[in-house]
Amino acid sequence: MAALKIKKGSNKHSAYNLRPTFSDVQESHTLAMRVDNEPGVLARVIGLFAGRGYNIESLTVAEVDHLGHQSRITIVTTGTPQVIEQIKAQLGRIVPVHEVHDLTVEGAAVERELGLFKVTGSGEKRVEALRLADIFRANVVDSTLESFVFEITGASEKIDAFADLMRPLGLVEVARTGVAALSRGAE
Amino acid sequence: MTRQMTGARMVVQALKDQGVDTVFGYPGGAVLPIYDEIFQQNDIRHILVRHEQGAVHAAEGYARSTGKVGVALVTSGPGATNAVTGLTDALMDSIPIVVLSGQVPTFMIGSDAFQEADTVGITRPCTKHNWLAKDTANLSGLIHEAFHVARSGRPGPVLVDIPKDVQFASADYTPPQAAKTSHYQPQMKGDIEAITELVEAMEKAERPVFYTGGGVINSGTAASQLLRELVDTTGIPITSTLMGLGAYPASGKNWLGMLGMHGLYEANMAMHGCDLMINVGARFDDRITGLIEAFSPKSKKAHIDIDPSSINKVIKTDIPIVGDVGHVLEDILKVWKARGRKTNKEALTKWHGQIDKWRETDCLSFKQEGKIIKPQYALQRLEALTKDHDRYICTEVGQHQMWAAQYLGFEDPNRWMTSGGLGTMGYGFPASIGVQMAHRDALVINVAGEASWLMNMQEMGTAVQFRLPVKQFILNNERLGMVRQWQELLHGERYSHSWSEALPDFVKLAEAFGAKGIYCDNPDDLDDAIMEMINHDGPVIFDCLVEKHENCFPMIPSGKPHNEMLLGEASTQGAIEAGGAVLV
Ligand SMILES: Cc1ncc(C[n+]2csc(CCOP(=O)(O)OP(=O)(O)O)c2C)c(N)n1
Ligand SMILES: [Mg+2]
């Protein structure tokens, strides 16, 4: 059976393979969508997830095309393959959503997140924090005699790992942006 | 050439340009400028309902019976919140309506102003889309877009919230031709490879069945015509959901009757035993599937739907086809004819033989004995006496609704208005008003339960004021019959609050509104009484007293598969297990 083909541009559901994918395995997918930057569009997306009981692991949104008034929303979600397909189809139904891309299945993608970490302490711990930050290529963006604020970008796992290391060294506060993602290559 | 006008005038102009001839509404402070414009023109008729829920259901009835977009106009705050049930109903049943609501002026939004409600927020989950019109300059374009969204793709309700200052301010009017084209353009044509795959499956299938739904009606009358041609040339039997009745004629030779929880035995057995299921514009609702794991276990399933989210939502589909039913059916017919009009004749004959055996069960048989009218008998007589009329049927929700679906025959699409997905008691009466407005000379009957009917009985005033001769055929069992049935079967016959005491005298009630009331409690008088109802030129409340403890069968209890239907009183003992009782 050939996979259902939906021509590019002919429809906004290009990311969907509507063949059955029923399985119990939980998968994590990164979805990126282009939306009209109009009031309430984020509420529609979030309301869909809340109303239908889907997970949001991370969500980022910002206007990316000021002239066209379009934003990009990136959502990391988990679910069975069937649920993931449902989520994409449901997102596609939202009128101001132009395109939904499943970066997890549509070829390679880069995913990055930015984290800010406030670490307080003195003596050996402070030195160790700075040393680890260096290994992780985190930048010091603020410092006092008893604190640092580190800025780190990378895949979420890298930021998780950095957080784990900082915790015993005096981590007091974390701010993370959530994932921004793009497909690799020229397309 | 552009024309300057106020936002309020723009609303009326945009409605005219969208071909609207009727608006159902109720005025209030936040829509007064629009009402002022309505007063000063004659192209659009405004029907003053008695409750905003009635306006929205009337718009639904108008839409469903015409294939056009229905329109309702409500004020801010309570006017808008009263519209919520109707919007949700239209969303569930994919009915195209545009609701225009007034809003407090933009500079007061967020200040808890008098009759302010976050209408766009409240209605976001119960509309296909909604808008707050913040600027008069964009208002006309927005209304055109609202109509486009309501009718395109999978139809549905939309709402435009219009602050009062936006109604007063002036700007250039944008006619529909000049409005910018919407990016919202759902795919109409189905994938030809998948269509071919389906045709191949149809050629080989030994036990195929068409399972059709409201999507066929929504796609337009051409889709119903194509469906009839496909069914009759292939000889494949067809069943339909509650929402799809009339797409294929009840008198058609391949008709199995409705399927589902209260569907016909032969229809459900065919669904259970088929080897190819062709879902055309239906959505595998839980009233249809019963127990998912045991749903039609041996069949290959094709699903034609304009909404990709319907596919694989509940039931695995082997051949998914995203597209408009009409377009896809046309392509199926083309491909099937081009490939030589093949079917598996021998197997099909056997399949029809099997279906005929199931038919012998005669699952709708009942006995009318004694002096008490059986509800089934009342509907059988109603059918016999009205079927040759230019007839439209609405229903409320409950047992009477299922009996109406079982005992009335629908020969054409758009003749059957019922609340399927939401199951809204109170839908039928206002819907019948909307239908009658669209078809002034037709016989419009609302088959009602006494409890449902009371939920929007205030619309009697509307029917009388606008001389709408809607017939309210109430099957009065003095019970919340469907609730009583579930309590009998699932809750140990503990009839907690499922009967209505202090029911009104419906004849006097009719008379109090200036309409006609007819009472009938004797099977021998029934025909004459129904004829009197038909022949009366004006609205009628027909109080038909029926057997109080009749149950609606067949019934697939919640959590059971299709082949474990209850057929009558004798089969109900111990049939429902605790597991099924948690389901609705
Ligand atoms: C607004 C609303 N409230 C409650 C229900 C639950 N409900 C479904 S059927 C029913 C009883 C309907 O009684 P009636 O209109 O007399 O119809 P009958 O079943 O007796 O024919 C009820 C309460 C509903 N469907 N809608
Ligand atoms: Mg009743």
Side-chain angles (χ1 to χ4, degrees):
Chain A
M1 272 188 288
L4 177 76
K5 286 196 203 80
I6 301 178
K7 271 183 232 83
K8 236 190 163 165
S10 68
N11 142 311
K12 57 190 181 183
H13 310 292
S14 57
Y16 309 144
N17 174 10
L18 294 167
R19 297 285 159 171
T21 45
F22 286 31
S23 134
D24 292 337
V25 185
Q26 293 282 326
E27 296 176 356
S28 173
H29 283 240
T30 304
L31 310 179
M33 65 209 90
R34 195 161 55 79
V35 304
D36 288 327
N37 185 13
E38 60 180 38
V41 64
L42 189 59
R44 284 177 212 284
V45 170
I46 295 172
L48 171 73
F49 277 75
R52 293 187 185 260
Y54 307 139
N55 299 314
I56 297 183
E57 309 259 291
S58 125
L59 176 134
T60 63
V61 53
E63 190 168 80
V64 290
D65 172 359
H66 296 297
L67 288 177
H69 295 292
Q70 294 204 335
S71 295
R72 185 176 173 102
I73 299 180
T74 310
I75 293 186
V76 181
T77 182
T78 52
T80 62
Q82 182 211 3
V83 168
I84 300 283
E85 289 306 314
Q86 254 304 295
I87 292 174
K88 289 187 269 178
Q90 293 290 352
L91 287 170
R93 287 198 333 159
I94 299 177
V95 172
V97 170
H98 289 245
E99 266 171 23
V100 182
H101 289 283
D102 185 344
L103 296 176
T104 307
V105 298
E106 287 178 51
V110 281
E111 299 189 6
R112 291 291 181 270
E113 199 184 341
L114 184 145
L116 294 172
F117 290 77
K118 183 175 283 181
V119 180
T120 59
S122 57
E124 221 8 73
K125 283 190 172 172
R126 182 170 161 86
V127 176
E128 181 63 8
L130 200 57
R131 208 176 59 80
L132 286 168
D134 194 41
I135 293 170
F136 274 75
R137 295 187 216 291
N139 298 319
V140 177
V141 291
D142 177 69
S143 66
T144 65
L145 285 177
E146 54 285 342
S147 72
F148 288 121
V149 174
F150 297 116
E151 169 207 64
I152 178 170
T153 57
S156 301
E157 297 75 32
K158 174 179 162 184
I159 297 176
D160 291 342
F162 187 66
D164 288 343
L165 290 171
M166 287 300 122
R167 214 160 279 126
L169 300 177
L171 179 64
V172 291
E173 215 175 343
V174 183
R176 294 173 67 154
T177 57
V179 174
L182 280 182
S183 62
R184 289 183 188 271
E187 273 277 294
Chain B
M1 201 195 78
T2 54
R3 275 190 294 161
Q4 276 262 328
M5 59 179 82
T6 65
R9 178 157 294 183
M10 259 180 206
V11 169
V12 173
Q13 187 61 47
L15 293 180
K16 284 184 198 171
D17 287 349
Q18 288 294 335
V20 174
D21 53 20
T22 309
V23 171
F24 302 92
Y26 207 89
V31 280
L32 284 179
I34 298 174
Y35 272 86
D36 204 22
E37 289 298 332
I38 287 175
F39 188 83
Q40 301 174 50
Q41 56 84 50
N42 288 316
D43 297 329
I44 294 177
R45 282 208 70 174
H46 177 274
I47 303 302
L48 177 70
V49 294
R50 299 304 190 260
H51 185 294
E52 289 86 352
Q53 184 185 354
V56 183
H57 291 324
E60 285 188 272
Y62 181 95
R64 190 72 175 165
S65 68
T66 58
K68 299 203 291 187
V69 178
V71 181
L73 173 60
V74 302
T75 193
S76 66
T81 56
N82 276 348
V84 165
T85 301
L87 287 167
T88 312
D89 189 89
L91 186 71
M92 292 291 270
D93 285 345
S94 307
I95 310 296
I97 55 169
V98 172
V99 174
L100 305 169
S101 55
Q103 182 55 281
V104 302
T106 48
F107 52 84
M108 290 180 83
I109 289 178
S111 70
D112 298 321
F114 178 62
Q115 295 196 325
E116 179 181 359
D118 177 8
T119 301
V120 167
I122 289 167
T123 61
R124 197 176 284 129
C126 62
T127 51
K128 185 173 169 186
H129 196 58
N130 62 12
W131 298 263
L132 174 64
K134 281 193 181 151
D135 188 354
T136 310
N138 301 333
L139 178 60
S140 40
L142 223 156
I143 294 174
H144 299 317
E145 170 78 358
F147 275 84
H148 170 73
V149 170
R151 69 164 83 91
S152 307
R154 179 175 178 172
V158 301
L159 177 139
V160 185
D161 200 27
I162 313 172
K164 198 170 181 181
D165 55 333
V166 173
Q167 299 172 33
F168 273 124
S170 287
D172 286 341
Y173 175 76
T174 312
Q177 315 78 271
K180 78 174 199 300
T181 44
S182 169
H183 84 87
Y184 180 74
Q185 303 291 349
Q187 176 181 335
M188 299 296 273
K189 293 281 273 183
D191 176 64
I192 201 71
E193 262 177 57
I195 287 172
T196 310
E197 191 182 333
L198 170 57
V199 171
E200 276 170 31
M202 283 164 56
E203 290 167 351
K204 291 196 211 105
E206 296 178 357
R207 302 182 310 280
V209 65
F210 280 108
Y211 149 45
T212 62
V216 185
I217 315 272
N218 278 335
S219 179
T221 43
S224 293
Q225 281 311 318
L226 290 160
L227 178 73
R228 289 162 186 224
E229 186 185 346
L230 185 63
V231 169
D232 290 340
T233 49
T234 58
I236 296 176
I238 173 171
T239 177
S240 161
T241 65
L242 182 73
M243 295 310 293
L245 296 176
Y248 184 84
S251 59
K253 66 177 191 305
N254 293 299
W255 179 238
L256 292 169
M258 180 176 79
L259 81 160
M261 184 174 269
H262 293 289
L264 271 66
Y265 182 73
E266 48 270 37
N268 285 333
M269 291 304 279
M271 286 288 279
H272 191 79
C274 66
D275 69 343
L276 174 66
M277 177 186 296
I278 310 163
N279 173 339
V280 189
R283 60 184 177 91
F284 294 111
D285 178 77
D286 54 73
R287 298 289 109 150
I288 297 306
T289 59
L291 180 66
I292 301 267
E293 295 82 59
F295 176 68
S296 192
K298 295 188 212 80
S299 61
K300 182 177 224 179
K301 296 174 187 75
H303 188 174
I304 303 164
D305 204 303
I306 198 157
D307 178 1
S309 79
S310 286
I311 292 175
N312 284 330
K313 183 168 67 180
V314 241
I315 296 291
K316 275 191 203 183
T317 301
D318 304 289
I319 310 173
I321 302 173
V322 176
D324 165 59
V325 164
H327 284 76
V328 173
L329 287 177
E330 192 177 357
D331 284 345
I332 292 175
L333 266 165
K334 267 192 206 141
V335 173
W336 180 72
K337 286 178 185 167
R339 288 169 56 98
R341 298 167 174 260
K342 284 176 280 191
T343 57
N344 189 341
K345 286 232 171 53
E346 217 173 296
L348 266 182
T349 310
K350 244 175 93 185
W351 179 225
H352 277 284
Q354 169 67 65
I355 288 169
D356 287 339
K357 282 217 190 70
W358 285 326
R359 265 202 190 107
E360 283 165 19
T361 308
D362 198 7
C363 66
L364 294 184
S365 66
F366 66 92
K367 280 204 198 81
Q368 173 61 52
E369 297 166 323
K371 287 287 164 211
I372 295 173
I373 301 174
K374 287 256 188 186
Q376 299 94 324
Y377 178 70
L379 287 167
Q380 205 175 55
R381 294 316 303 155
L382 185 73
E383 168 72 0
L385 297 171
T386 63
K387 69 168 190 275
D388 295 329
H389 284 72
D390 177 15
R391 181 188 77 176
Y392 292 81
I393 301 282
C394 301
T395 76
E396 302 288 347
V397 170
Q399 291 179 317
H400 63 276
Q401 176 190 29
M402 293 298 116
W403 282 317
Q406 292 171 341
Y407 291 90
L408 304 181
F410 299 96
E411 295 297 313
D412 292 300
N414 306 99
R415 298 265 169 175
W416 165 245
M417 275 49 63
T418 194
S419 171
L422 196 64
T424 312
M425 291 170 70
Y427 164 88
F429 184 13
S432 71
I433 285 175
V435 174
Q436 190 83 70
M437 265 313 292
H439 311 275
R440 294 306 291 254
D441 299 325
L443 176 62
V444 180
I445 303 170
N446 176 34
V447 176
E450 80 296 337
S452 296
W453 193 83
L454 288 174
M455 283 208 177
N456 271 322
M457 60 160 267
Q458 75 285 347
E459 299 307 329
M460 213 52 214
T462 312
V464 171
Q465 177 172 343
F466 293 92
R467 296 198 171 79
L468 298 169
V470 289
K471 314 300 185 211
Q472 304 303 312
F473 192 71
I474 301 178
L475 294 176
N476 185 352
N477 52 12
E478 299 175 354
R479 299 288 181 281
L480 311 183
M482 192 56 96
V483 171
R484 193 208 57 77
Q485 175 167 347
W486 280 54
Q487 288 172 336
E488 178 184 326
L489 300 178
L490 289 128
H491 294 274
E493 300 178 49
R494 287 178 297 279
Y495 299 119
S496 182
H497 296 271
S498 55
W499 74 94
S500 331
E501 259 168 52
L503 281 167
D505 176 330
F506 284 100
V507 173
K508 281 195 189 140
L509 185 66
E511 285 161 7
F513 275 105
K516 183 178 178 64
I518 299 175
Y519 176 85
C520 182
D521 64 353
N522 186 336
D524 300 333
D525 301 339
L526 188 58
D527 277 26
D528 287 346
I530 291 176
M531 287 313 296
E532 190 185 350
M533 172 183 88
I534 297 170
N535 292 330
H536 179 71
D537 182 20
V540 175
I541 303 179
F542 190 117
D543 183 10
C544 185
L545 229 72
V546 296
E547 164 64 50
K548 300 183 198 321
H549 302 114
E550 191 70 16
N551 283 334
C552 183
F553 293 113
M555 175 178 183
I556 305 176
S558 291
K560 289 283 189 177
H562 276 173
N563 59 345
E564 292 185 38
M565 253 164 291
L566 308 180
L567 288 173
E569 303 295 345
S571 60
T572 61
Q573 293 303 320
I576 294 166
E577 290 144 19
V582 302
L583 301 169
V584 285

